[in-house]
Amino acid sequence: MDEEDLSEFGIAPKAIVTTDDFASKTKDRIREKARQLAAATAPIPGATLLDDLITPAKLSVGFELLRKMGWKEGQGVGPRVKRRPRRQKPDPGVKIYGCALPPGSLEGSEGEDDDYLPDNVTFAPKDVTPVDFTPKDNVHGLAYKGLDPHQALFGMSGEHFNLFSGGSEGAGHLGEMGLNKGRKLGISGQAFGVGALEEEDDDIYATETLSKYDTVLKDEEPGDGLYGWTAPRQYKNQKESEKDLRYIGKILDGFSLASKPLSSKKIYPPPELPRDYRPVHYFRPMVAATTENSHLLQVLSESTGKATPDPGTHSKHQLNASKRAELLGETPVQGSATSVLEFLSQKDKERIKEMKQASDLKAAQLKARSLAQNAQSSRAQPSPAAAAEHCSWHMALGGRMATLKASNFKPFAKDPEKQKRYEEFLVHVKQGQKDALERCLDPSMTEWERGRERDEFARAALLYRSSHSTLSSRFTHAKEEDDSDQVEVPRDQENDVGDKQSAVKMKMFGKLTRDTFEWHPDKLLCKRFNVPDPYPDSTLVGLPRVKRDKYSVFNFLTLPETASLPTTQASSEKVSQHRGPDKSRKPSRWDTSKHEKKEDSISEFLSLARSKAGPPKQESSPLVNKEEERAPESPTNKTVNKGVDTQVEGEGSRPSMDLFRAIFASSSDEKSSSSEDEQGDSEDDQAGSGEANFQSSQDTDMGETSSVVHALVPAPQEPPPSFSIQKMQIDEREEFGPRLPPVFCPNARQTLEVPQKEKHKKNKDKHKVKKEHRRKKEKKKKHRKHKHKGKQKSKKLEKSSSSESSDSSDSQSEETADVSPQELLRRLKCLPLRRQ
Amino acid sequence: MAFPEPKPRPPELPQKRLKTLDCGQGAVRAVRFNVDGNYCLTCGSDKTLKLWNPLRGTLLRTYSGHGYEVLDAAGSFDNSSLCSGGGDKAVVLWDVASGQVVRKFRGHAGKVNTVQFNEEATVILSGSIDSSIRCWDCRSRRPEPVQTLDEARDGVSCVKVSDHEVLAGYKGHKNQEYKLDCCLSERDTHVVSCSEDGKVFFWDLVEGALALALPVGRGVVQSLAYHPTEPCLLTAMGGSIHCWREEAYEADDGAG
């Protein structure tokens, strides 16, 4: 046996060494890993393999020392620790039915860790991975990892390389590289049987081209919610738990995210509104039971047939805070006045008291009188004496009622018909008509009912007045209702379209046919277009918008059936001229041929003048008057269209009250104007029901005249809001085919009713104008004009709606009524609205 | 001594049919030149967009990814990207070379009638039948438009961008069945318009007189495009497009 044989590598070595079987496999794991990482990031991947070959495998002194102290490889250094139980025990509340599983399998794979642990057993601390302090000496980005050579050289050719996938797998590739090495290195080529004429296989040498990489960020979500962002790995992992995505924010201690999402509430669509629904709610008047209006309460209870609750026995719901405090004997809170009355000075209070007493006295007198009346009216026929008496209190009442503001006091709200009659009565009284009661009462009622109602009306009117006038005289109505009844509309309005059309007629395209709006571009848009922001300080984007009333939009929703067929060419022409602000379309030069048919000399003249003078000032009333006088002198141009126009303006049904109310919601004469119209309508209805042919043709002429006057008074700066609907329908018709021929066989009733109405209106108009003449104080001028215009607008509006309704009542036109309300609403929303 | 101004040559109008391309993509909804006029884009009703060399008649690439008919397309100033809009209410930004969809902008409530790049191809403006114009940012990854111009009251049928001004046209209802194009000739001397009777009309811009009625075929001329610098006209009828040059034009480099 040689010396060699006894040496370390001999057949009988003398020294004792650990054989491979017992040597630690994890000897240098950490360093190995660090080296592999370094290798992967090195410019030449795999270059450190050489180091492995050279490095002598020798244990350092420290290593050996540690080992002798009991350290084992794979353990950490430090005092031994007690292991904490890793997992909480399952809830004891959970019951297990059937055979209990063995404890180990219940815990699953981690069962071994959760074995019974005696208290005195300690464990070595876990090893920590040392920080890699390799300096970064390249110019790659942070966490850059080169292409995995394993995959790039020997990997699957058809796959995309994912540059951004996690790097942990990379560590193992170097080791496996050698194993896979021989797999694909043999000669590879086309298979047998591939002839010259056959196409080659696509990819025989697994060459990589750049087209296999994603160079474009795709829109489609790749699935990780990152859209190509090369996020650190912890963000990627987060995707896996869906909960974390759903809830963004901290989770408090002791709380955990629900595993199941909340069951979403089922949402039911709101009920569909009936077509004639009006979004206005009338409250029943709440009248406090005090001494001075006990009469009123009595009247109310009489009229409604409902017994009022006894004021002595308050239920607890009727008590307010101050009353409860009174009952409990508390001292009232100083400084917080509960009523307006408490703000009044002592003197004022006394005055009010006096007035109250006076009104009480009057009420008592009246009551006595009306009792007598009651007795009289129980007779079959009201005597002349009673009528005279009526007149006397009519006068007394009328004086006061004239100053009464539009009130929402509705003593007969429960019986709408009665309420209507009551309102009519008020109007009549205000106008000073003697036979007010007789006119507004229902002719079908019995005499007794009439007497009773007459009584009620008189009392209600008087009492309401007495209890509220003292306070109401101190306050004025709000000019604007500042609730949410407003919409945002563009601030800049288009110019008068009538002007534009006249400009188009004269083929003067350019300034006249264009509008300029102030438009604020988005900041980013300015940047992208390389232009300076024209409004650097403005925060708004787009057209500047202001709040406007949305009433007029809303109202068109409640119109009964708006789709209509304008009967004739002339009517459409008329509409477009009357209702100047037609926002629905811009004029184009192709329109001229259509409008040439009717050349109204006056309107032509006016439009010419207007386009020359620019936007005209508000025309003063004398001019209107003049025009009015002039108009009848030139009947020639009207006779042409007369037959047509009467048809157009024929009124089949009355327009809804809301139309007027909406437009004049805040004006003081709302009540009067609307109820006047209504009165006129009711007259018409009565006249029309048992109608004989008594209207002369000159009446038609008169009606015609007044309509012309409307056309002549332009409202260029404040266009009435909502007439374009007509025009739009005309447009619709243009789209869908040729016009239907004009209807020339109106039924007699329609034509007859029209002139009457027109006359009525005209009278009013004249009356108004005269009044205007009388008071020409500069101070009030503006306001007056305002009002005047409002009047005219109302008439125009009325006409438009009336013609619509007449059209819709026409059975022939029903087939064209295919404009859905949604469509109308959509278009209306686009319309800039202006309100007085 | 100043020489008299040379009398401008009377403009030559393209009258000679040079090429007819059958696009094979259903009805051609729109045909558009690229920025220098060497290529053209056809928007088909089979949801594809095709890039052609109109003079040689070669198909360069097909872009598919729309969900419905493609109604308009435009190329960027550097020919690197395209945008298109279609009946699927989406505006799509394409990469020319790879043919991939780069972005899809959704937000319109109706068909997108017209699309335009701005000068630097950083913003796409799209006009839709929902009566709005939307400005989409191509730089950021914002899914919603930078700004929406919804002042129009009817469907926007045409949007043009020049320098920093945006022109938009919207038309009322007319008695016509199709959306038809019109454009200016290369020197702005004539207005060229499609017609439903299979002709292309050349109108003198100033006088408004009819200069030429060019019969194209039997169908409706759906769309046309005029070369930016040369008297060359592209017309789309049915499923094919025609390329027109002036009479004196000779194919210089042997088409093909």
Side-chain angles (χ1 to χ4, degrees):
Chain A
M1 200 171 276
D2 291 349
E3 202 175 317
E4 277 184 341
D5 295 336
L6 301 176
S7 74
E8 196 178 347
F9 300 104
I11 40 174
K14 287 252 176 97
I16 296 171
V17 288
T18 42
T19 54
D20 278 352
D21 293 347
F22 297 99
S24 166
K25 277 267 173 64
T26 62
K27 193 167 60 179
D28 231 347
R29 197 195 279 158
I30 294 152
R31 273 176 62 192
E32 211 169 25
K33 197 180 271 180
R35 209 185 303 133
Q36 277 182 352
L37 275 174
T41 57
I44 308 168
T48 49
L49 284 174
L50 207 62
D51 295 356
D52 287 343
L53 298 176
I54 296 166
T55 322
K58 203 177 179 186
L59 295 181
S60 64
V61 181
F63 211 77
E64 281 185 358
L65 275 175
L66 274 173
R67 254 193 191 170
K68 279 182 179 164
M69 289 162 71
W71 174 78
K72 284 184 194 124
E73 289 167 41
Q75 290 179 355
V77 182
R80 297 174 74 82
V81 290
K82 271 187 183 177
R83 183 175 290 175
R84 277 169 33 207
R86 264 193 211 159
R87 232 168 43 172
Q88 287 179 340
K89 292 288 168 193
D91 197 350
V94 176
K95 282 180 185 167
I96 299 168
Y97 297 97
C99 298
L101 293 166
S105 62
L106 195 70
E107 307 293 333
S109 64
E110 283 178 307
E112 304 94 40
D113 296 337
D114 285 272
D115 275 350
Y116 167 70
L117 291 172
D119 286 345
N120 51 0
V121 175
T122 54
F123 292 91
K126 292 216 159 172
D127 201 1
V128 283
T129 315
V131 184
D132 183 17
F133 289 113
T134 324
K136 180 179 176 302
D137 53 355
N138 52 21
V139 289
H140 302 310
L142 280 180
Y144 166 81
K145 184 173 73 71
L147 277 182
D148 188 1
H150 163 70
Q151 215 178 7
L153 298 177
F154 316 104
M156 313 74 204
S157 57
E159 280 179 8
H160 278 307
F161 285 111
N162 195 353
L163 288 175
F164 310 114
S165 69
S168 70
E169 306 90 55
H173 291 320
L174 285 177
E176 291 162 13
M177 197 168 75
L179 294 178
N180 291 339
K181 218 166 188 169
R183 191 163 57 92
K184 269 223 162 181
L185 279 186
I187 298 169
S188 58
Q190 282 178 293
F192 290 108
V194 180
L197 296 177
E198 287 171 76
E199 284 195 7
E200 285 183 351
D201 285 346
D202 264 344
D203 197 4
I204 42 171
Y205 292 117
T207 47
E208 290 303 318
T209 58
L210 268 182
S211 68
K212 290 195 174 171
Y213 296 85
D214 278 339
T215 53
V216 182
L217 298 181
K218 278 188 198 169
D219 191 54
E220 273 75 38
E221 189 185 344
D224 57 1
L226 294 169
Y227 295 96
W229 180 42
T230 58
R233 220 175 315 155
Q234 60 260 31
Y235 288 98
K236 288 186 181 176
N237 295 340
Q238 230 174 28
K239 171 70 186 178
E240 289 166 11
S241 58
E242 249 190 351
K243 299 170 202 168
D244 298 4
L245 279 187
R246 261 184 283 137
Y247 178 74
I248 308 158
K250 275 185 183 171
I251 299 169
L252 290 177
D253 275 352
F255 290 87
S256 62
L257 276 177
S259 55
K260 274 186 241 164
L262 273 179
S263 58
S264 59
K265 285 175 189 164
K266 194 175 180 188
I267 297 170
Y268 297 95
E272 276 199 15
L273 295 178
R275 211 170 36 178
D276 51 348
Y277 169 74
R278 297 181 300 160
V280 181
H281 180 68
Y282 291 113
F283 290 98
R284 276 190 67 78
M286 299 294 289
V287 184
T290 51
T291 50
E292 76 263 18
N293 57 9
S294 60
H295 312 284
L296 181 61
L297 277 180
Q298 197 187 340
V299 170
L300 277 176
S301 62
E302 259 179 32
S303 68
T304 57
K306 190 186 98 187
T308 39
D310 190 16
T313 62
H314 284 300
S315 76
K316 64 177 176 181
H317 300 293
Q318 284 169 327
L319 294 175
N320 59 14
S322 59
K323 276 179 187 167
R324 277 195 298 270
E326 229 172 53
L327 284 177
L328 290 170
E330 288 174 2
T331 53
V333 182
Q334 297 297 320
S336 64
T338 53
S339 160
V340 193
L341 286 170
E342 290 177 28
F343 287 114
L344 301 177
S345 68
Q346 194 61 36
K347 223 197 268 176
D348 285 338
K349 276 183 190 168
E350 277 173 17
R351 214 165 36 181
I352 289 173
K353 220 181 227 172
E354 278 176 17
M355 287 179 81
K356 265 186 196 168
Q357 280 170 354
S359 60
D360 276 355
L361 214 72
K362 264 185 203 160
Q365 284 173 359
L366 200 93
K367 199 182 177 189
R369 222 187 277 165
S370 57
L371 276 177
Q373 248 180 53
N374 226 352
Q376 280 172 351
S377 62
S378 61
R379 281 183 278 169
Q381 202 71 16
S383 68
E389 204 179 16
H390 276 305
C391 293
S392 68
W393 60 254
H394 268 152
M395 289 303 113
L397 213 59
R400 275 204 239 159
M401 294 300 294
T403 57
L404 192 64
K405 298 287 175 196
S407 65
N408 52 1
F409 174 66
K410 300 218 182 297
F412 310 109
K414 198 168 186 186
D415 188 353
E417 288 216 359
K418 198 169 182 178
Q419 177 64 35
K420 217 165 81 186
R421 271 176 281 159
Y422 175 65
E423 281 167 5
E424 277 176 32
F425 162 73
L426 284 185
V427 172
H428 284 299
V429 168
K430 207 161 122 189
Q431 288 171 343
Q433 292 172 0
K434 286 183 183 174
D435 53 345
L437 268 180
E438 273 68 27
R439 284 182 63 172
C440 60
L441 290 185
D442 191 357
S444 62
M445 286 199 304
T446 63
E447 200 55 42
W448 182 79
E449 282 171 335
R450 283 174 147 218
R452 187 188 153 98
E453 200 163 285
R454 193 183 300 145
D455 221 43
E456 283 172 8
F457 283 359
R459 261 191 289 174
L462 202 70
L463 288 172
Y464 172 72
R465 161 85 193 144
S466 66
S467 65
H468 281 256
S469 61
T470 46
L471 269 183
S472 64
S473 62
R474 290 188 163 264
F475 299 100
T476 57
H477 281 268
K479 279 268 159 34
E480 299 272 348
E481 286 172 355
D482 51 354
D483 40 358
S484 59
D485 289 346
Q486 291 195 322
V487 285
E488 294 210 324
V489 296
R491 190 187 68 194
D492 299 328
Q493 301 281 326
E494 278 183 37
N495 295 331
D496 192 4
V497 176
D499 282 348
K500 277 191 216 155
Q501 281 183 348
S502 55
V504 167
K505 249 183 218 173
M506 291 183 291
K507 305 228 168 187
M508 288 172 63
F509 294 100
K511 251 186 185 176
L512 280 175
T513 52
R514 284 173 199 158
D515 293 316
T516 310
F517 298 114
E518 184 182 316
W519 181 73
H520 296 240
D522 195 275
K523 292 228 164 27
L524 184 61
L525 207 60
C526 291
K527 216 167 98 188
R528 293 275 187 265
F529 273 83
N530 270 335
V531 288
D533 196 343
Y535 306 98
D537 300 328
S538 81
T539 53
L540 50 86
V541 168
L543 291 184
R545 282 162 184 277
V546 286
K547 289 214 159 189
R548 290 276 159 73
D549 220 326
K550 72 176 176 194
Y551 264 130
S552 28
V553 172
F554 219 62
N555 261 306
F556 269 97
L557 286 179
T558 61
L559 271 183
E561 188 56 53
T562 45
S564 73
L565 172 77
T567 45
T568 60
Q569 175 71 38
S571 78
S572 68
E573 173 64 35
K574 204 165 181 64
V575 162
S576 68
Q577 287 203 342
H578 276 218
R579 299 154 182 100
D582 168 20
K583 308 287 190 208
S584 64
R585 57 185 277 205
K586 299 218 177 198
S588 78
R589 85 180 95 172
W590 318 114
D591 293 346
T592 45
S593 59
K594 288 170 195 162
H595 293 290
E596 272 165 11
K597 280 190 185 173
K598 189 198 171 192
E599 290 283 319
D600 195 320
S601 63
I602 291 183
S603 60
E604 181 77 355
F605 160 73
L606 260 186
S607 58
L608 260 168
R610 222 184 289 155
S611 56
K612 274 177 190 165
K617 311 285 170 286
Q618 300 208 345
E619 283 181 46
S620 57
S621 49
L623 183 62
V624 179
N625 237 352
K626 236 193 286 171
E627 293 290 339
E628 197 179 359
E629 285 163 11
R630 225 184 56 187
E633 292 169 13
S634 59
T636 49
N637 53 3
K638 277 168 305 196
T639 47
V640 182
N641 301 317
K642 195 198 290 173
V644 164
D645 280 340
T646 49
Q647 160 66 17
V648 169
E649 284 160 18
E651 186 163 291
S653 63
R654 92 174 42 132
S656 79
M657 280 265 291
D658 293 42
L659 213 58
F660 309 112
R661 202 168 286 157
I663 294 166
F664 304 106
S666 62
S667 77
S668 59
D669 55 352
E670 162 210 355
K671 186 121 191 173
S672 65
S673 68
S674 58
S675 49
E676 268 169 25
D677 286 336
E678 199 177 66
Q679 173 204 340
D681 282 351
S682 68
E683 274 180 316
D684 287 351
D685 286 346
Q686 284 179 355
S689 57
E691 189 50 67
N693 215 345
F694 67 84
Q695 284 295 332
S696 65
S697 64
Q698 76 187 32
D699 267 337
T700 22
D701 218 337
M702 293 285 273
E704 186 65 35
T705 308
S706 71
S707 70
V708 169
V709 171
H710 297 321
L712 289 178
V713 182
Q717 277 157 9
E718 296 181 50
S722 46
F723 307 132
S724 47
I725 206 167
Q726 273 270 0
K727 184 69 183 169
M728 275 191 296
Q729 281 156 0
I730 294 165
D731 289 345
E732 288 277 340
R733 189 166 43 76
E734 278 172 8
E735 184 194 9
F736 290 122
R739 291 189 184 84
L740 294 176
V743 183
F744 272 114
C745 47
N747 52 22
R749 201 187 136 181
Q750 273 189 345
T751 38
L752 280 172
E753 278 176 15
V754 178
Q756 211 176 4
K757 173 112 194 186
E758 288 294 321
K759 193 178 174 187
H760 187 71
K761 264 188 276 171
K762 200 204 159 189
N763 285 343
K764 266 197 298 181
D765 204 17
K766 261 187 177 166
H767 183 64
K768 199 90 192 170
V769 169
K770 268 181 208 161
K771 254 205 279 181
E772 216 170 300
H773 264 299
R774 242 184 289 146
R775 313 186 208 168
K776 261 205 163 172
K777 290 176 185 171
E778 283 296 296
K779 228 201 276 180
K780 290 188 178 178
K781 203 171 176 184
K782 201 175 173 187
H783 179 63
R784 297 285 316 161
K785 258 186 220 158
H786 216 69
K787 248 174 136 178
H788 183 69
K789 267 183 56 165
K791 269 268 193 248
Q792 285 190 337
K793 252 207 224 174
S794 86
K795 260 173 247 163
K796 280 190 209 170
L797 199 63
E798 192 180 27
K799 236 185 286 161
S800 80
S801 59
S802 70
S803 65
E804 270 173 24
S805 54
S806 76
D807 288 334
S808 62
S809 70
D810 201 289
S811 61
Q812 291 179 340
S813 66
E814 274 176 8
E815 54 193 349
T816 57
D818 51 0
V819 185
S820 69
Q822 282 86 6
E823 173 77 355
L824 282 179
L825 177 60
R826 193 183 61 73
R827 295 187 179 195
L828 275 169
K829 270 180 187 162
C830 302
L831 293 178
L833 300 168
R834 180 157 285 204
R835 187 169 174 267
Q836 296 232 14
Chain B
M1 182 179 161
F3 289 102
E5 285 275 320
K7 199 181 170 193
R9 254 184 328 126
E12 292 172 84
L13 297 176
Q15 303 185 41
K16 193 170 86 174
R17 184 182 307 209
L18 200 70
K19 204 95 189 169
T20 299
L21 303 178
D22 189 14
C23 297
Q25 51 179 143
V28 177
R29 292 298 180 215
V31 57
R32 298 282 177 261
F33 268 114
N34 78 328
V35 70
D36 55 3
N38 289 335
Y39 306 104
C40 78
L41 289 162
T42 55
C43 307
S45 62
D46 69 341
K47 314 171 190 175
T48 60
L49 185 70
K50 288 188 176 179
L51 179 67
W52 303 83
N53 185 332
L55 298 177
R56 291 167 183 263
T58 47
L59 172 65
L60 301 176
R61 200 171 262 281
T62 302
Y63 303 89
S64 50
H66 265 290
Y68 210 69
E69 288 185 339
V70 188
L71 294 178
D72 195 13
S76 70
F77 73 103
D78 55 354
N79 290 330
S80 72
S81 49
L82 306 173
C83 64
S84 62
D88 55 353
K89 308 175 192 173
V91 178
V92 179
L93 178 66
W94 305 87
D95 185 52
V96 169
S98 70
Q100 299 241 15
V101 177
V102 180
R103 299 282 309 270
K104 257 188 191 178
F105 302 101
R106 298 174 200 274
H108 273 297
K111 284 183 189 176
V112 180
N113 272 336
T114 170
V115 287
Q116 281 283 306
F117 272 117
N118 76 333
E119 205 178 14
E120 296 179 340
T122 51
V123 175
I124 298 174
L125 291 111
S126 60
S128 162
I129 204 169
D130 66 354
S131 76
S132 73
I133 300 166
R134 282 165 205 254
C135 311
W136 309 93
D137 190 9
C138 308
R139 287 265 183 90
S140 65
R141 297 197 61 85
R142 224 163 98 165
E144 65 269 5
V146 176
Q147 191 168 5
T148 304
L149 325 180
D150 50 2
E151 280 76 32
R153 299 209 186 82
D154 207 332
V156 179
S157 61
C158 183
V159 169
K160 292 285 172 228
V161 183
S162 68
D163 194 9
H164 60 270
E165 291 171 339
V166 178
L167 284 178
Y170 59 94
K171 58 187 176 194
H173 299 293
K174 293 268 174 58
N175 268 330
Q176 57 191 26
E177 283 176 78
Y178 309 107
K179 164 181 174 283
L180 297 179
D181 276 341
C182 66
C183 60
L184 292 171
S185 64
E186 88 280 10
R187 281 193 282 164
D188 289 353
T189 53
H190 287 78
V191 179
V192 192
S193 67
C194 306
S195 168
E196 288 177 29
D197 58 1
K199 287 180 181 172
V200 170
F201 292 94
F202 291 78
W203 309 85
D204 193 283
L205 177 66
V206 183
E207 296 161 14
L210 181 64
L212 176 68
L214 180 69
V216 175
R218 226 172 266 152
V220 176
V221 184
Q222 292 219 2
S223 174
L224 52 76
Y226 211 94
H227 196 283
T229 51
E230 291 170 49
C232 176
L233 177 73
L234 286 178
T235 58
M237 172 187 285
S240 57
I241 58 171
H242 307 283
C243 179
W244 304 80
R245 290 303 296 249
E246 72 275 15
E247 289 288 0
Y249 177 77
E250 290 294 328
D252 44 5
D253 52 355

